């Protein structure tokens, strides 16, 4: 690393790579490994400790090859389930491309050291989750799948150049092509020059007061892409997981009670013991997440209770099958084998993001995105459970290869230090309260207008620290969610408008957004 080098009186460090990967979750590390194995010099940046990948519980949805299957599952069935959950907004070709490549990507992960639970030696144990018509979810450590995925990838990537505590602040580009990443570390500002950059920055759960996401999920990738002039889409579709542990704490990351608990027979009831989902959907407690989250939200409104309950007392061997859930419950003073678990819906997953193709390519030459930050068309208006690790594995690997190939043809790049920028931010607590009040499980036009007015009060903030940057990124991402939710005058997937409760067939199209330099609320791209 060269540092500091004078530039217009400002010192900054510099680094060179063929491919820069931003993020060390499933998408980032799979991409980095693929680029490295293609012979390119890779630098990986990560700002935070734990990733969302680490916390994933339920598993990875994957269709096994015929020879390894005993049931009637097929790529067609998995595609059909994904399209049904996506409520008319998935790109069917993208879904098929990713689902059909799933087993290969999982085998690569096994080659990198991941071990999944087996029903009998040599045969993976398969579970079922909401919206899946078949048992096709592989898992590890019972309900610690993400920890195993992360452990395996961290091990495989140990030989890579991984820079922790490095915050990507800005995507640098020139003449329609990416040239590097402006980065902040303990030495101050620096540039990693590279002709290929892969955004793998994960989600944006911390837009809300309470979320299942780790502290680093602050919408950075969406903001970075929008500041670079790229379009984002489907950001109105934020998935609220129906069963986040209600432990009485005010906010921040809260434990998830994986959907697989319902897959194994647990039922959602209110304080009177009445089913929460009876009569709501033919699949009952295993209906798609938006349906179950909406039912939980409606029951809490109707009863005035602060939570509903997940009764898992009938599941045999609960502690062994769900050690992570058991530990989280016990830490909150709840024994899930003897008492129903109090749960509420919590901000969990961003179905939308930076628009890419199924190889992670964005519209800016050399810029790729994969994982939760990307919008490939896989999830549409609602992600099917356990499809995100799958997408991260498949598209992460493809993006790594494509970025490596691009770097080879583009050759070395030279990025320029940009002029200092101030962007606008709301104080985080204020932003989270406004988002939780106006853009949660159920929204309406008046609330979204209030949200937009609140965002207008955001004040300029210099980017002197990770917190400054995250507040700015959150505020930009909130503007995009507000714009997307305001523009969609219907209810579809995980976007529920109380003033437009019906689904409107005429609106079965994605509405890309581009940022407007004058406003925090981006414009919808028409046509
Ligand atoms: C509790 C929980 C349970 C889940 N269970 C499942 C499940 O069972 N199955 C499933 O398929 N999905 C599950 N999901 C969703 C899934 O885990 C995530 O969507 C997926 O892991 C995201 O992977 P990713 O690589 O895109 O991002 P992440 O794993 O979140 O990684 C993001 C990385 O980007 C870095 N980063 C972010 N911004 C910056 C920046 N500005 N500069 C530098 N670095 C940055 C972070 O430090 C981190 O390293 C779950 C999610 C949660 C939270």
């Amino acid at each position: 690393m060269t540092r500091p080098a004078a530039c217009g009186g400002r010192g900054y460090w510099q680094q060179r790579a063929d491919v820069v990967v931003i993020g060390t979750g499933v998408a980032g590390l799979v991409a980095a490994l693929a680029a490295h194995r293609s012979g390119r010099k890779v630098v990986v940046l990560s700002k935070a400790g734990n990733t969302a990948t680490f916390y994933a519980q339920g598993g990875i949805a994957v269709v096994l090859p015929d020879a390894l299957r005993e049931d009637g599952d097929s790529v067609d069935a998995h595609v059909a389930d994904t399209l049904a959950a996506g409520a008319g907004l998935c790109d069917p070709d993208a879904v098929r491309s990713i689902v059909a490549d799933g087993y290969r990507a999982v085998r690569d992960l096994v080659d990198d050291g991941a071990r999944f639970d087996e029903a009998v030696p040599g045969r993976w144990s398969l579970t079922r989750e909401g919206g899946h018509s078949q048992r096709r979810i592989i898992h590890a450590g019972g309900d610690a799948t993400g920890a195993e995925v992360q452990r395996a990838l961290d091990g495989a990537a140990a030989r890579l150049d991984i820079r922790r505590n490095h915050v990507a602040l800005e995507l640098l580009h020139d003449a329609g092509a990416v040239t590097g990443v402006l980065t902040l570390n303990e030495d101050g500002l620096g540039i990693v020059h590279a002709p290929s950059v892969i955004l793998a920055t994960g989600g944006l759960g911390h837009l809300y007061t309470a979320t299942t996401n780790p502290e680093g999920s602050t919408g950075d990738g969406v903001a970075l892409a929008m500041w670079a002039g790229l379009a984002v889409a489907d950001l109105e579709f934020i998935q609220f997981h129906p069963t986040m542990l209600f432990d009485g704490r005010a906010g921040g990351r809260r434990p998830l009670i994986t959907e697989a608990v319902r897959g194994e027979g647990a039922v959602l009831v209110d304080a009177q013991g009445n089913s929460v989902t009876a009569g709501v959907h033919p699949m009952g407690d295993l209906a798609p997440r938006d349906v179950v989250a909406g039912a939980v939200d409606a029951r809490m409104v109707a009863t005035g209770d602060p939570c509903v309950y997940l009764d898992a007392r009938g599941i045999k061997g609960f502690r062994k099958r769900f050690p992570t859930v058991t530990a989280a419950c016990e830490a909150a003073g709840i024994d899930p084998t003897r008492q129903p678990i109090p749960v509420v819906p919590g901000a969990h997953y961003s179905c939308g993001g930076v628009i890419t193709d199924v190889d992670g390519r964005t519209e800016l030459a050399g810029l790729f995105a994969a994982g939760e930050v990307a919008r490939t068309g896989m999830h549409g208006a609602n992600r099917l459970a356990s499809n995100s690790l799958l997408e991260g594995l498949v598209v992460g690997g493809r993006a790594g290869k494509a970025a490596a190939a691009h770097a080879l043809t583009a050759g070395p790049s030279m990025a320029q230090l940009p002029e200092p920028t101030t962007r606008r931010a709301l104080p985080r607590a204020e932003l989270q309260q406004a988002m939780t009040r106006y853009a949660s499980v159920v929204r309406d036009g008046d609330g979204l207008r209030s949200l937009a007015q609140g965002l207008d009060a955001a004040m300029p903030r210099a980017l002197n620290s990770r917190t400054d940057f995250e507040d700015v990124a959150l505020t930009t991402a909130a503007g995009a969610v507000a714009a997307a939710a305001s523009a969609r005058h219907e209810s579809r997937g995980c976007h529920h408008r109380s003033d437009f409760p019906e689904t409107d067939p005429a609106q079965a199209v994605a509405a890309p957004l581009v940022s407007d330099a004058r406003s925090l609320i981006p414009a919808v791209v028409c046509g």
Side-chain angles (χ1 to χ4, degrees):
M1 188 163 82
T2 321
R3 72 180 173 85
C7 178
R10 291 183 288 152
Y12 68 106
W13 54 263
Q14 298 184 67
Q15 171 82 26
R16 290 197 173 281
D18 297 320
V19 178
V20 182
V21 179
I22 311 172
T24 52
V26 59
L29 289 185
V30 169
L33 284 164
H36 172 78
R37 286 167 179 154
S38 301
R40 303 278 75 79
K41 177 174 162 44
V42 179
V43 169
V44 185
L45 308 176
S46 175
K47 69 172 183 179
N50 275 347
T51 59
T53 300
F54 172 82
Y55 288 108
Q57 293 184 356
I60 307 174
V62 63
V63 177
L64 304 182
D66 289 348
L68 298 177
R69 254 190 348 243
E70 287 162 1
D71 58 17
D73 202 10
S74 64
V75 167
D76 283 350
H78 190 175
V79 168
D81 292 345
T82 302
L83 296 180
L89 277 197
C90 296
D91 174 343
D93 293 338
V95 174
R96 182 165 293 279
S97 164
I98 293 167
V99 165
D101 206 13
Y103 181 69
R104 189 233 14 106
V106 168
R107 285 303 329 171
D108 286 353
L109 186 63
V110 169
D111 290 345
D112 278 330
R115 294 293 170 265
F116 295 100
D117 296 337
E118 295 181 335
V120 293
R123 274 201 188 259
W124 285 331
S125 161
L126 301 176
T127 193
R128 205 180 142 197
E129 292 185 310
H132 287 275
S133 58
Q134 301 284 336
R135 293 180 84 92
R136 64 166 73 98
I137 319 292
I138 59 170
H139 47 87
D143 59 359
T145 309
E148 174 61 7
V149 170
Q150 192 73 56
R151 183 198 65 74
L153 290 173
D154 283 344
R159 61 187 177 279
L160 301 191
D161 183 355
I162 298 183
R163 307 289 172 113
R164 311 244 174 222
N165 299 315
H166 281 55
V167 188
L169 296 183
E170 192 163 338
L171 297 171
L172 304 175
H173 53 100
D174 185 30
V178 79
T179 52
V181 181
L182 183 68
T183 306
L184 185 68
N185 69 4
E186 67 273 20
D187 293 324
L189 278 182
I191 289 178
V192 189
H193 304 273
S196 290
V197 174
I198 303 175
L199 276 175
T201 50
L204 39 69
H206 285 267
L207 281 174
Y208 295 89
T209 307
T211 174
T212 62
N213 290 189
E215 34 123 25
S217 301
T218 50
D220 300 13
V222 164
L224 290 169
M226 293 186 80
W227 299 333
L230 295 175
V232 295
D234 294 347
L235 284 170
E236 64 273 43
F237 303 111
I238 292 177
Q239 194 170 70
F240 289 81
H241 197 289
T243 56
M244 184 173 73
L245 181 66
F246 178 68
D247 57 7
R249 277 187 296 135
R253 191 189 81 79
R254 290 200 197 151
L256 174 81
I257 311 297
T258 172
E259 204 147 351
V261 174
R262 276 173 285 138
E264 298 297 338
V267 291
L268 277 164
V269 292
D270 62 20
Q272 280 68 47
N274 301 315
S275 165
V276 170
T277 57
V280 171
H281 190 279
M283 293 176 91
D285 285 341
L286 285 175
R289 278 186 187 164
D290 65 293
V291 176
V292 182
V296 171
D297 190 66
R299 186 61 58 93
M300 285 166 53
V301 170
T303 60
D305 292 335
C307 63
V308 299
Y309 296 88
L310 185 63
D311 191 345
R313 289 175 292 180
I315 300 177
K316 291 200 172 54
F318 186 92
R319 287 170 186 280
K320 184 158 181 276
R321 173 68 181 84
F322 299 110
T324 309
V325 170
T326 303
C329 289
E330 287 180 349
I334 298 151
D335 179 351
T337 65
R338 300 168 76 92
Q339 59 194 125
I341 307 165
V343 292
V344 290
H348 183 57
Y349 184 82
S350 171
C351 299
V354 183
I355 297 175
T356 73
D357 67 11
V358 289
D359 293 322
R361 270 188 206 86
T362 71
E363 56 195 314
L364 180 64
L367 182 68
F368 300 79
E372 193 168 335
V373 67
R375 184 268 183 201
T376 59
M378 170 82 175
H379 309 301
N382 197 11
R383 173 192 66 130
L384 188 64
S386 287
N387 264 356
S388 44
L389 289 177
L390 170 73
E391 185 191 41
L393 286 171
V394 170
V395 183
R398 292 176 179 180
K401 282 188 196 146
H406 177 84
L408 197 60
T409 48
S413 70
M414 181 52 133
Q416 300 300 316
L417 189 71
E419 289 303 313
T421 317
T422 48
R423 299 191 193 274
R424 292 200 286 152
L426 274 189
R428 194 173 302 195
E430 197 179 311
L431 179 86
Q432 290 172 332
Q433 280 157 16
M435 287 294 291
T436 303
R437 181 162 178 201
Y438 297 124
S440 247
V441 178
V442 181
R443 305 95 189 254
D444 66 29
D446 288 344
L448 291 166
R449 272 186 289 280
S450 298
L451 176 61
Q453 280 163 9
L455 289 172
D456 263 350
M459 299 298 288
R461 181 92 67 91
L463 302 183
N464 293 323
S465 68
R466 175 179 153 188
T467 305
D468 289 329
F469 171 77
E470 288 181 345
D471 286 353
V472 168
L474 282 167
T475 305
T476 298
V481 172
S486 301
R488 186 165 290 282
H489 294 175
E490 63 163 351
S491 293
R492 179 185 295 275
C494 44
H495 171 68
H496 290 265
R497 292 270 308 238
S498 57
D499 48 351
F500 295 104
E502 304 301 326
T503 300
D504 173 7
Q507 295 184 49
V509 284
L513 298 167
V514 288
S515 79
D516 174 342
R518 287 162 296 126
S519 165
L520 282 166
I521 307 294
V524 176
V525 183
C526 296

